[in-house]
Amino acid sequence: MLARLNNRISRSKTEGGFTLIELLVVIIIIGILLAIAIPSYLKFRDRANKSAAQANVRASIPAIEAYFADNNSYAGATLAYLQTTYDAGVKNIVIQSATSTTYCIESTVGAETWKKTGPGSDIVTGACP
């Protein structure tokens, strides 16, 4: 009996490799880690998209207000004009409407859309009407 155990031990030393049980345990551990990591990553990505969309709208406000100060109207403001004249850092926004007294700027990053309507409103979620 002892001789067979010694034979088996010496044979396993020369053959090497993993048993099926060891491989299954490793696969189960990787699956558990993925089940924890993927939802966390998705939440992180959603928060990043939200912050980026809000930052895009927030960054465009000084340029659109400078346009109003120069022209006494928001009408005619375009993204290209704001970038070339006031701030090249204004990006990823859409000026949906611009009249003489109000405007609506929105930014969409991923699935997040944020907007600012007019000079007196807050930055809120949703698209311009």
Side-chain angles (χ1 to χ4, degrees):
M1 176 77 142
L2 190 57
R4 282 198 303 178
L5 285 175
N6 282 334
N7 185 21
R8 191 170 188 189
I9 290 172
S10 65
R11 186 177 52 185
S12 67
K13 288 180 182 177
T14 59
E15 289 180 10
F18 296 105
T19 65
L20 182 60
I21 298 298
E22 291 171 331
L23 292 174
L24 288 174
V25 168
V26 169
I27 291 172
I28 289 171
I29 290 171
I30 290 172
I32 291 170
L33 291 174
L34 285 175
I36 294 169
I38 289 175
S40 177
Y41 168 74
L42 293 176
K43 287 179 187 175
F44 172 76
R45 189 182 64 180
D46 290 343
R47 283 194 319 261
N49 287 343
K50 175 184 171 185
S51 296
Q54 289 174 334
N56 291 340
V57 173
R58 194 174 300 114
S60 67
I61 293 170
I64 193 84
E65 293 300 331
Y67 179 88
F68 180 79
D70 289 346
N71 299 301
N72 204 26
S73 173
Y74 296 110
T78 63
L79 176 59
Y81 187 77
L82 293 178
Q83 288 174 329
T84 57
T85 308
Y86 299 106
D87 187 1
V90 175
K91 59 184 176 186
N92 299 327
I93 64 158
V94 177
I95 301 173
Q96 292 291 354
S97 63
T99 65
S100 61
T101 59
T102 188
Y103 59 87
C104 187
I105 296 175
E106 74 179 28
S107 177
T108 301
V109 178
E112 294 286 332
T113 302
W114 288 77
K115 69 177 179 179
K116 178 171 174 65
T117 304
S121 68
D122 293 327
I123 298 172
V124 295
T125 186
C128 291

